[in-house]
Amino acid sequence: MELSEMVRSLGKKRVAVVGEIMLDRYLWGSVERISPEAPIPVMRLDETEERLGGAGCVVNNLLTFGAEVMPVSVLGADSQGEKLLAILREKGVSVESILTEEDRPTIVKTRMIGYVQSAHRATQHILRLDEERRERIKEETERHLCKFVEDAIR
């Protein structure tokens, strides 16, 4: 049996995805010189792309296979969190089981990718900038997440 046949035979499954949903931001640009201030590439920004990252990537992949997905996660109460919620809603995903914490920033991973040859034939990952806090979520938030998971299992 081919992989595509196996995937189609799965039917419409309901899947809970528990994990950190983050915003993946890509900054694409042209690199044509080295900075005179330090031995680093200078990138001229051409394009910005934002998409689901972390557990959000899993959500997106499951949607592609036709699954009904319930993401269970915690975001910051900030503009990046709102952007992620908007992306999920746009894809038809219920965001009822995604919680926010006021003093916790949404995780954002920004990648700077430069075109390093003429005609944009080759790219180089220049830098990744991680905006995150590595402390545990609040106990109350954890209890709510566990409740979402328990309800999903039922």
Side-chain angles (χ1 to χ4, degrees):
M1 184 182 285
E2 300 252 341
L3 177 61
S4 59
E5 291 174 40
M6 289 174 23
V7 170
R8 279 193 298 275
S9 72
L10 292 174
K12 185 144 179 114
K13 300 292 182 189
R14 296 178 64 210
V15 182
V17 175
V18 182
E20 289 184 319
I21 295 177
M22 56 192 73
L23 184 64
D24 276 351
R25 181 176 292 140
Y26 293 83
L27 305 179
W28 300 86
S30 298
V31 175
E32 298 166 353
R33 64 189 177 99
I34 300 297
S35 172
E37 300 161 346
I40 57 170
V42 175
M43 184 176 89
R44 186 184 68 247
L45 184 63
D46 295 329
E47 182 183 349
T48 300
E49 179 185 354
E50 294 177 323
R51 55 177 116 149
L52 297 171
C57 187
V58 176
V59 168
N60 200 47
N61 290 341
L62 288 165
L63 290 170
T64 301
F65 289 123
E68 180 185 334
V69 185
M70 182 183 102
V72 180
S73 192
V74 179
L75 302 175
D78 52 23
S79 61
Q80 291 87 352
E82 285 300 320
K83 187 169 299 216
L84 283 169
L85 292 173
I87 292 170
L88 288 164
R89 286 184 187 113
E90 226 173 75
K91 294 177 176 292
V93 176
S94 171
V95 296
E96 293 174 3
S97 52
I98 297 179
L99 302 174
T100 58
E101 284 189 352
E102 282 296 322
D103 54 349
R104 180 182 203 83
T106 298
I107 298 172
V108 179
K109 307 242 175 183
T110 302
R111 294 159 180 85
M112 295 178 190
I113 302 172
Y115 298 108
V116 292
Q117 286 187 3
S118 62
H120 291 178
R121 288 186 303 207
T123 59
Q124 181 174 342
H125 193 147
I126 297 169
L127 178 71
R128 187 175 102 178
L129 173 66
D130 292 357
E131 300 170 69
E132 64 183 337
R133 255 202 236 143
R134 293 183 166 190
E135 59 201 37
R136 289 180 60 101
I137 59 176
K138 296 176 183 172
E139 285 185 34
E140 180 182 349
T141 304
E142 189 174 335
R143 280 193 299 275
H144 286 294
L145 288 176
C146 288
K147 176 87 169 86
F148 285 134
V149 172
E150 289 169 5
D151 291 347
I153 291 171
R154 277 192 221 104

